Amino acid sequence: MSKLWQKDYSLDSLMEEFTVSNDYILDQQLVIADCLGSIAHARGLHHIGILDAEELASLEEGLKKIISLKMEDSFPITKENEDCHTAIEGFLTDEYGEVGKKIHTGRSRNDQVQTALRIWMREFTLKLCRATGELCETLLSFAEKYAEVPMPGRTHMQIAMPSSLGLWAASYAEELYDEAQHMMHLSWLFDQSPLGSAASYGVPLPLDRQFTAEQMGFTRVQNNVLYANNSRGKFEAILLDGCDYIALTLSKLAQDLILFTLPEFGYFSLPKELCTGSSIMPQKKNPDGLELARSRSSVVSSCAARVKSIIRSLPSGYNRDFQDTKEPLLAGTKATWQLVQIFGRMMDGLQ
Ligand code: ARG
């Protein structure tokens, strides 16, 4: 299949490998979001008379078909496609003819990738906020259950004052509650539609950006089209920084648990299903998961730093460098998601 920008020559294969890199694989995660954005765009084109009702119906049918295929894990994106946007429009053109090309009227891939990422980030933020809230509840019930159990309070790691297990567990609950709140505030930032910003400078068509924003459930339009493109990477970094605070808290919790489960301390015992053994020392019950929680926390932090350093010196407008912010976004958010899940299990089974 040809590229959306296809000319009368083929791209050098080494350059193709270099520019596409693993983007087409990562883009599997954006297929559904792009389809939702594309449905909104198609409705927007119909709304201003560029598509007729029949054309809109075909496109909506095709895009819903792609969503179903994706849900069965059978929507392929090839390296030649470059990205999900090309694969999606290619599918529509193969199945429905010219109208598959017509959907590209008034939009650019930059616009599409921004819209898909925005939808993805908005959803992730809300999901993470809820999951972090659930972890708070688990920590709070742990705190309540053991409220009266004495535990040494330490400063400088030295025994300092008598304290309780309740105070210890509730401190993490309260800290994570604030971080979940912070995530909630971030979801407001992501709740603005970039669709219609095109390559960075808008298009000379009377697109109704408020209408398409509403189709996607955004409360508002990201007004300035150049800002809409310049916020690529920036919003990713803001989200990853938010994730980093959660990861940082969980890294500290991991460290407490690693220390306090040592036989020398013996405050806690970890659920055995969450520990690994040693191939040479059968007495071992290793907290590998907690150790990796510490290191994953620095993965999240480095993903945030990576995105910021990619965008820091870019001139305004779209630059292909933006593509390389996708991998740290997906890696850092995945690590955070897993951390939150793992600690739910850990606190549930902690003795
Ligand atoms: N994969 C590209 C990205 O993530 C898609 C946009 C390509 N746009 C372009 N003007 N080359 O940025």
Side-chain angles (χ1 to χ4, degrees):
M1 184 198 307
S2 63
K3 304 188 190 312
L4 281 174
W5 56 271
Q6 193 65 48
K7 308 237 184 268
D8 58 359
Y9 63 85
S10 300
L11 180 65
D12 176 87
S13 61
L14 189 59
M15 188 49 98
E16 179 171 63
E17 178 88 38
F18 185 69
T19 53
V20 177
S21 184
N22 63 349
D23 202 49
Y24 72 104
I25 298 168
L26 298 175
D27 263 20
Q28 278 291 348
Q29 297 178 63
L30 295 179
V31 170
I32 293 179
D34 185 85
C35 287
L36 296 176
S38 293
I39 290 173
H41 181 65
R43 287 181 186 172
L45 292 177
H46 173 251
H47 179 68
I48 58 169
I50 292 179
L51 293 176
D52 63 31
E54 206 179 311
E55 288 172 319
L56 173 62
S58 303
L59 289 171
E60 286 207 20
E61 184 187 292
L63 289 160
K64 286 175 191 162
K65 226 187 254 180
I66 297 172
I67 293 176
S68 307
L69 286 170
K70 174 61 202 167
M71 285 165 85
E72 294 158 10
D73 223 1
S74 46
F75 183 72
I77 306 170
T78 64
K79 191 184 294 172
E80 294 68 40
N81 291 151
E82 294 192 328
D83 50 37
C84 67
H85 320 297
T86 307
I88 289 167
E89 289 189 12
F91 179 94
L92 294 174
T93 308
D94 289 349
E95 300 264 316
Y96 299 93
E98 279 303 297
V99 70
K101 293 187 178 161
K102 218 167 159 184
I103 194 179
H104 206 68
T105 312
R107 73 173 175 176
S108 124
R109 269 191 304 166
N110 302 349
D111 200 355
Q112 273 182 274
V113 68
Q114 263 301 60
T115 302
L117 283 165
R118 192 65 53 81
I119 290 174
W120 190 95
M121 289 197 281
R122 180 184 61 174
E123 191 192 346
F124 177 80
T125 306
L126 294 173
K127 257 172 53 184
L128 183 63
C129 186
R130 169 188 271 255
T132 308
E134 282 165 4
L135 178 56
C136 289
E137 277 171 22
T138 308
L139 278 154
L140 271 185
S141 20
F142 186 91
E144 258 167 21
K145 192 164 159 197
Y146 301 111
E148 306 291 329
V149 177
M151 180 173 169
R154 293 170 181 274
T155 65
H156 309 267
M157 283 206 67
Q158 308 287 323
I159 301 268
M161 280 178 76
S163 183
S164 70
L165 195 40
L167 185 83
W168 175 83
S171 78
Y172 282 108
E174 212 171 301
E175 191 166 349
L176 286 164
Y177 178 80
D178 281 346
E179 281 145 13
Q181 282 288 328
H182 179 55
M183 267 293 143
M184 195 60 140
H185 295 313
L186 293 186
S187 74
W188 183 84
L189 178 68
F190 305 143
D191 189 15
Q192 43 182 333
S193 169
L195 187 62
S197 59
S200 294
Y201 300 94
V203 282
L205 285 173
L207 298 177
D208 186 340
R209 297 188 63 205
Q210 184 60 38
F211 175 83
T212 53
E214 280 160 19
Q215 299 304 307
M216 294 180 282
F218 285 109
T219 54
R220 63 197 194 282
V221 165
Q222 190 171 13
N223 176 57
N224 185 296
V225 289
L226 181 54
Y227 170 49
N229 277 272
N230 287 342
S231 58
R232 181 137 182 226
K234 185 76 167 291
F235 282 18
E236 281 83 336
I238 292 171
L239 172 56
L240 287 165
D241 277 338
C243 287
D244 191 21
Y245 291 117
I246 294 174
L248 188 153
T249 302
L250 295 178
S251 179
K252 192 184 270 282
L253 176 56
Q255 181 53 29
D256 270 3
L257 291 175
I258 291 170
L259 202 62
F260 296 151
T261 50
L262 287 175
E264 289 82 346
F265 282 85
Y267 298 177
F268 303 117
S269 138
L270 299 173
K272 64 177 184 319
E273 303 75 24
L274 300 181
C275 292
T276 53
S278 156
S279 56
I280 187 172
M281 300 163 285
Q283 83 283 12
K284 296 293 292 293
K285 185 181 166 194
N286 293 330
D288 294 31
L290 294 172
E291 292 160 31
L292 287 165
R294 276 187 314 215
S295 66
R296 295 290 159 77
S297 145
S298 66
V299 167
V300 178
S301 189
S302 67
C303 286
R306 192 163 132 200
V307 169
K308 278 179 268 188
S309 80
I310 289 171
I311 62 170
R312 190 170 301 281
S313 315
L314 296 183
S316 64
Y318 177 85
N319 295 277
R320 188 68 180 263
D321 313 46
F322 283 140
Q323 179 176 295
D324 280 348
T325 62
K326 205 184 278 170
E327 185 169 331
L329 169 72
L330 296 173
T333 49
K334 181 177 176 190
T336 310
W337 177 253
Q338 287 183 323
L339 280 169
V340 171
Q341 307 295 313
I342 282 290
F343 276 94
R345 295 267 169 94
M346 200 53 95
M347 295 312 299
D348 256 341
L350 192 67
Q351 300 275 301

